[in-house]
Amino acid sequence: MIKKILTLLLISVATLEVSASSFAQQADSAYNKENYREAISLYLESLARDGQSATVYYNLGNAYFRNDNLGKAVISYERALRINPTDADARQNLDFVRSRIQDRPEDDTAFFAKMHRSVVAAAKADTWAWIAFGVFALFIAAIALYIFSRSIAMRKTGFFGGIVLLFIFAYVLYVASDALEAASSHESAVVIKPSTQLSSAPRAAGSASDKVVTIHEGTKVEIVDSVATPDDPVSPRWYNVKINNGTKAWLRASDVERI
């Protein structure tokens, strides 16, 4: 009797696993039939049941784009790249969707900050950690060369090479830390409404002085602060956001979705 119960339980678990894993396949089928709304629903179900997947987020982004949900498409591609920063297809599609967005704020980040951001986005945090480990191993080898070599030239190579490797190790370790923080941070958000009004205060703009600028679906913002607004019938929370270093204002939390 116990054996039969265990067998039934195993069959039930196996059935659930097959069902869960087939959601992505069903979504692919719906997408190929140009039933994008159904594909979106199935991809979301796959993510809810099976957990995050760069491939599923990428396909979800494609479905959102085909369904004219540019904001959601940007979010999906961004999430795919957080899981796999080396996904060239997701990055290419993200750039394409951004070219279709009405707002294209100028990136006024400093040159070296842009370079560092590009380096951080080039690989996963654990990849950078392994690179740091490799550089540290070379640093140890350079120190050993300096200590044990009898050749003056080799000792100089070990000494100065060790100094260079130490700086490289420190920077790669810093990059790995930033990559880990970027992968787990939820301070970026994307506008999901057709448009939203930035205000100078956490309330609906009541006068021209309160209005800052109107931004549209797909625009990416960085959340700096938030405040509860229980008296607001539309959104119980407002975010203080910045689009670039020159524009900082408030918008309804309900108008954006965190990445």
Side-chain angles (χ1 to χ4, degrees):
M1 184 66 182
I2 295 177
K3 186 176 180 181
K4 288 183 178 180
I5 293 173
L6 290 174
T7 302
L8 287 172
L9 287 172
L10 288 172
I11 292 173
S12 299
V13 170
T15 302
L16 286 172
E17 289 179 351
V18 170
S19 175
S21 63
S22 68
F23 276 110
Q25 296 173 350
Q26 294 175 37
D28 291 340
S29 178
Y31 181 90
N32 292 332
K33 293 176 182 176
E34 299 184 3
N35 192 343
Y36 302 123
R37 288 188 179 182
E38 182 181 353
I40 290 168
S41 177
L42 290 167
Y43 283 132
L44 290 173
E45 188 67 29
S46 175
L47 290 166
R49 288 175 177 264
D50 299 339
Q52 294 188 342
S53 163
T55 300
V56 175
Y57 273 129
Y58 169 74
N59 291 334
L60 177 62
N62 293 339
Y64 273 130
F65 174 73
R66 294 293 184 181
N67 200 50
D68 293 325
N69 301 120
L70 298 187
K72 293 282 191 177
V74 169
I75 292 169
S76 299
Y77 291 137
E78 289 273 11
R79 287 173 177 169
L81 288 169
R82 282 194 171 187
I83 298 172
N84 181 15
T86 61
D87 190 335
D89 290 335
R91 193 168 298 282
Q92 181 178 359
N93 284 15
L94 176 60
D95 290 340
F96 175 75
V97 173
R98 282 177 173 164
S99 71
R100 302 286 296 273
I101 292 170
Q102 186 170 345
D103 301 318
R104 302 179 197 175
E106 182 181 357
D107 187 356
D108 55 0
T109 308
F111 174 74
F112 288 109
K114 286 182 184 178
M115 286 185 60
H116 175 70
R117 187 172 60 194
S118 298
V119 171
V120 171
K124 298 179 182 179
D126 54 353
T127 301
W128 285 118
W130 278 109
I131 293 173
F133 177 80
V135 173
F136 184 74
L138 290 175
F139 168 72
I140 296 299
I143 295 301
L145 184 65
Y146 171 73
I147 294 174
F148 298 110
S149 178
R150 295 182 179 180
S151 168
I152 298 297
M154 294 301 289
R155 292 190 68 186
K156 286 183 177 180
T157 300
F159 178 78
F160 291 108
I163 293 175
V164 172
L165 287 168
L166 184 61
F167 280 105
I168 294 174
F169 168 71
Y171 177 67
V172 174
L173 204 61
Y174 177 60
V175 169
S177 175
D178 277 2
L180 181 61
E181 183 179 352
S184 57
S185 173
H186 296 285
E187 299 310 308
S188 298
V190 174
V191 177
I192 56 175
K193 296 292 181 67
S195 65
T196 184
Q197 180 72 51
L198 293 182
S199 301
S200 59
R203 62 176 182 271
S207 63
S209 61
D210 290 335
K211 297 177 181 179
V212 176
V213 69
T214 300
I215 57 175
H216 301 83
E217 183 179 10
T219 303
K220 185 178 179 181
V221 299
E222 297 294 324
I223 299 172
V224 179
D225 197 5
S226 67
V227 62
T229 52
D231 296 332
D232 189 328
V234 178
S235 177
R237 183 167 293 277
W238 282 66
Y239 290 145
N240 187 219
V241 303
K242 64 177 183 178
I243 300 176
N244 51 34
N245 293 330
T247 305
K248 189 176 176 182
W250 293 87
L251 58 70
R252 286 190 172 100
S254 58
D255 290 347
V256 298
E257 181 175 335
R258 289 178 183 260
I259 298 174

